[in-house]
Amino acid sequence: QVQLVESGGGLVQAGGSLRLSCAASGTIFSINRMVWYCQAPGKQRELVATRTGGGSTNAADSVKGRFTISRDNAKNTVFLEMNNLKPEDTAVYYCNTVLKSSSYSSLEEYWGQGNQVTVSS
């Protein structure tokens, strides 16, 4: 019913920047929140940043001050602007959303397919 498509990942030198995008498509009534997660090899998936439907944002301590989450409401797209990237940021980044597909539906959760970010020294 709803699909999240990610883009913008790639290889970047330490200190560089990338901008990840995640576009939600399908039947969407309202978005409760959109979230970025990352998963490095051998580690569990962890939360990176969150943006609620009301516009509030939160970021993990490890990326606070370097990463910014933002939203294009017209396109139901969330972005993760990553600056001053470090090798330890290397991971697969996943977007996640909690939304309602209709006014009468309950909250639903969807995941993007994953987006590789590699930061070289």
Side-chain angles (χ1 to χ4, degrees), residues 6-101:
E6 303 180 30
S7 62
L11 176 65
V12 66
Q13 186 178 347
S17 300
L18 285 173
R19 187 181 191 228
L20 305 183
S21 299
C22 176
S25 62
T27 303
I28 300 171
F29 175 72
S30 63
I31 294 178
N32 179 265
R33 66 178 183 267
M34 300 191 79
V35 188
W36 285 100
Y37 291 82
C38 69
Q39 186 168 20
K43 294 186 177 181
Q44 294 192 43
R45 192 171 300 183
E46 60 185 51
L47 189 146
V48 177
T50 301
R51 182 180 175 89
T52 70
S56 64
T57 61
N58 189 36
D61 290 342
S62 61
V63 304
K64 192 171 185 177
R66 299 189 297 120
F67 293 7
T68 301
I69 187 169
S70 61
R71 168 89 182 279
D72 182 340
N73 292 325
K75 295 185 176 181
N76 288 322
T77 300
V78 66
F79 304 95
L80 185 66
E81 299 171 2
M82 303 183 292
N83 299 307
N84 192 24
L85 282 160
K86 303 175 181 180
E88 51 263 44
D89 296 321
T90 295
V92 177
Y93 286 75
Y94 298 88
C95 67
N96 165 275
T97 185
V98 175
L99 53 78
K100 296 184 70 174
S101 59

